Amino acid sequence: MLSRIWLTAMFFMFASVSQLSVALDSPCNTSPTQGFEARSLTVTEGTDAQPKNGYYQLYIPTELPSGAAPLLVIVDDGVSALSASDAVHLENAAEARKYIIAYPQRHEAWDTGDNTADVDYIRAVVADVESNHCIDKRRIYSAAYVGGGAMIARLACDAADIFAAITLSESDSVGDYGHCLDSAGAEEEGATATPLVLSRAASTSHYDEPLNTQSLDFMAANPRAASVTSSGRVEFEWLLVGNPGNAADISSGYGAVDHTFLIAKYEVTNAQYAQFLNAKAVSDTLNLYSVTMSAGVGGITRSGVPGSYSYSAMPGRENKPVNWVSYYDVLRFTNWMHNGQGEGDTETGAYTLEGGLAVPFNAETVQRNADARVFLPTEDEWYKSAYHNAKGLKETDYFLYPFRSDEVSSCSPPPGGENHANCAQAVGDVADKGSYPESIGPYGTFDQGGNVWEWSVGLVAGVLPVMRGGGYDVTGPDSLASSWRDQWAASGEFSFTGFRVAAPATAGAPAATPKPVARSSSGGGSFSPLFLLMVSILLVFNRRTAKTQ
């Protein structure tokens, strides 16, 4: 009896020690002061080691969620004081989306020339916030605000390892580093990563609305994204398609969407689809691979025998869109993504496919499930992301072509110019994703016109899914127009057809990397190794004591 009492007492004592060790391990358990706080900061910069002084305003919202919070860094012209109206706007944004917001200030304009002192200062601000608060390092964002466009562009070059995404309006001046807002330009500057630049076309003047709410919502829900990580995970750069409740295009009847959602910036590539095959097609009983992928304009090879197949994207074709995929292949890819990749199931998830055959038993009735986390866009979702003018909700707020233009697109080799695409055999092959950097959709997508036609969910006669956007093949620029839609057999595999994926614009959307486990001192955290060890010792001791009684 005494041994049990002693065991119980020791259990609670070590439980307390365990939770204390969790508390000391992370600042996430702290309850920071709420509201605005002014913090001074001194950074030693340059070879002469002279300190350069500055400060920043910090806003901590009420009722922060457990675990790490997103951090939003507001960058203005460097000298403007934080006005009362600015403060109210930032406070409302932080409270609504549970950001911690930092507002760095200097006593002079930001240096966006060759000197990196001000980049170092903003880095120091981020580091100072991280040292005092629990910040999710995958969700650190920056937004330009009244003259901060040039500094934001500089951060895209020199602080891309920190910021997962940045946003600015189309009216912002971006200075000498504007090329860094493009991933290729950032890479030329030696950036170790590339922040996602949210659609400038979708932003309003900061004087009218200092921060675009759609961009804020997207940032709150989504961490840094990539293509295929070093660990072999398939990931996407997501773009927010907002303006829910927009009317359908008066000219076609398509494009009305009552919800906000995410669309992939690029078409799914050979490298990404090869990862899927290596995970789920070692025997390939579902015919997820087509032998034509290794010939002509395909981009994936297969080796081995059934039961030990392996797949590789062909050298030089890794970033070209995958083709030769059927509608059912595409649904299975989204199911795999929905279920976390790896050994994730292909027959349930975003869609329920019955029968275990390449063509499912319910082929004519398959529908998206309500909890889908990655999915094929419906025809209306696809249409909206390609043609909808992101600034309006009326039935006339649409472009005729998917590059924010009513002029007929030009078919040309890359890089082309504005409103150019890979169509009408201009290249004679599919092109790498994003090869036409000046031809961008209204929400920031690339290649929604040309390259490959894209499957969407819009069954005609039960078995004919809709394709849109035109491809590299013989079809001319008219096939890129909003008026052109095509249907092909769902089981068909074609050189001119690929796809892109979509996701819900919620916290349930797929994260770029696994979310960190939130730990707490209130009993909700996991037990420490020390605690588990002590419990084991106590159990052994108690058993031995019982035997001697």
Side-chain angles (χ1 to χ4, degrees), residues 142-168:
S142 187
Y145 181 69
V146 189
M151 192 62 199
I152 283 284
R154 182 67 189 275
L155 294 176
C157 277
D158 294 334
D161 56 312
I162 292 180
F163 296 105
I166 60 179
T167 187
L168 69 168

Side-chain angles (χ1 to χ4, degrees), residues 143-277:
Y145 181 69
V146 189
M151 192 62 199
I152 283 284
R154 182 67 189 275
L155 294 176
C157 277
D158 294 334
D161 56 312
I162 292 180
F163 296 105
I166 60 179
T167 187
L168 69 168
S169 80
E170 59 185 347
S171 62
D172 279 319
S173 173
V174 295
D176 294 337
Y177 285 84
H179 62 285
C180 289
L181 300 177
D182 174 70
S183 59
E187 290 169 2
E188 288 175 3
E189 293 288 334
T192 57
T194 304
L196 175 62
V197 180
L198 299 186
S199 176
R200 295 176 67 186
S203 299
T204 59
S205 168
H206 289 319
Y207 295 97
D208 298 326
E209 183 183 358
L211 293 175
N212 181 271
T213 55
Q214 296 171 14
S215 296
L216 290 173
D217 287 335
F218 174 85
M219 287 178 171
N222 295 274
R224 181 183 296 278
S227 178
V228 176
T229 67
S230 58
S231 63
R233 287 185 59 82
V234 173
E235 293 168 355
F236 297 96
E237 294 183 49
W238 297 111
L239 299 168
L240 187 78
V241 181
N243 302 299
N246 62 295
D249 188 344
I250 192 172
S251 66
S252 68
Y254 294 101
V257 180
D258 64 2
H259 54 276
T260 300
F261 64 97
L262 307 178
I263 191 81
K265 187 175 183 178
Y266 304 106
E267 294 158 334
V268 175
T269 65
N270 286 317
Q272 292 171 325
Y273 195 80
Q275 291 298 116
F276 167 57
L277 292 173

